[in-house]
Structure formats: C-alpha cells, structure tokens
Amino acid sequence: MKNKYDVMLILEGTYPFNGGGVSTWAHMLCNKVTNVNYSLYSINADFEEKSKYVLSENVKNVIQVPLWSPLEPKELLSYGKKYYKTVNKKEQEDATQIEEQFIPIFER
C-alpha cells in the first residue's frame, strides 16, 4: 500500500459542523479521495459539540477555532504545549510588567 498524503482543509463556518454547498463538496472530497489523511481546521462562530456529518476514516483530526466564544481556546481544545505556555504566560502577567516593559515601548 502506498503512503497517504496529509492534507489540511481550512474551512470557515462550514464542514463538518454546518450544512451547505461547501460542506457537501468537502464531505464528498473526504469520502471519495481515499489516498489522503485529512485534518479539518474548522473556523466557527462558537464551539460546536458534534459534527453534522459522519466523518470518513480519512478524517484523522478536527481542530476547531471558535472565534466568538467567551472561553479561552485552552478551555476548549488542546493546541499543544507551546500554546499552553503562551496562554499561561499571558495569564501570569501583572500590571507591573505591563507598566515597566510594554508601556515604554508603546509610548516610543
């Protein structure tokens, strides 16, 4: 058996959480093109609990990016250690660091 290609589909407000023409096309693509392992990068308004489609075995990963959720992304998904380090560092900043490091640069 040949190696499969790894492909990321970046989808905005469509597959696999909402229906429509783009979703129909993406679903057919993921089901019919079988020499590919798909990762779906789904940009949504809010976090979606479940897919509206039964995903094929070719879909190996679904990454959601909820743009309007009141929650921090780390509360919804695991983006990996580097992401967590960035968010944790942001949450540990205090006013002193902002006043001493950020504001002087911003004012210049």
Side-chain angles (χ1 to χ4, degrees), residues 4-7 30 34 36-40 55-63:
K4 288 189 169 190
Y5 296 98
D6 292 321
V7 171
C30 291
T34 58
V36 172
N37 289 323
Y38 293 98
S39 290
L40 306 178
L55 302 178
S56 74
E57 291 180 11
N58 297 334
V59 176
K60 301 299 183 187
N61 194 16
V62 178
I63 302 163

Side-chain angles (χ1 to χ4, degrees), residues 22-75:
V22 171
S23 293
T24 301
W25 169 83
H27 188 64
M28 289 173 55
L29 182 72
C30 291
N31 282 297
K32 302 289 184 184
V33 181
T34 58
N35 65 334
V36 172
N37 289 323
Y38 293 98
S39 290
L40 306 178
Y41 190 86
S42 180
I43 302 169
N44 306 310
D46 203 350
F47 181 76
E48 300 287 346
E49 290 291 326
K50 65 179 195 167
S51 172
K52 292 197 181 206
Y53 295 83
V54 176
L55 302 178
S56 74
E57 291 180 11
N58 297 334
V59 176
K60 301 299 183 187
N61 194 16
V62 178
I63 302 163
Q64 283 195 63
V65 182
L67 294 179
W68 299 106
S69 173
L71 302 173
E72 285 284 339
K74 75 173 191 167
E75 297 177 68

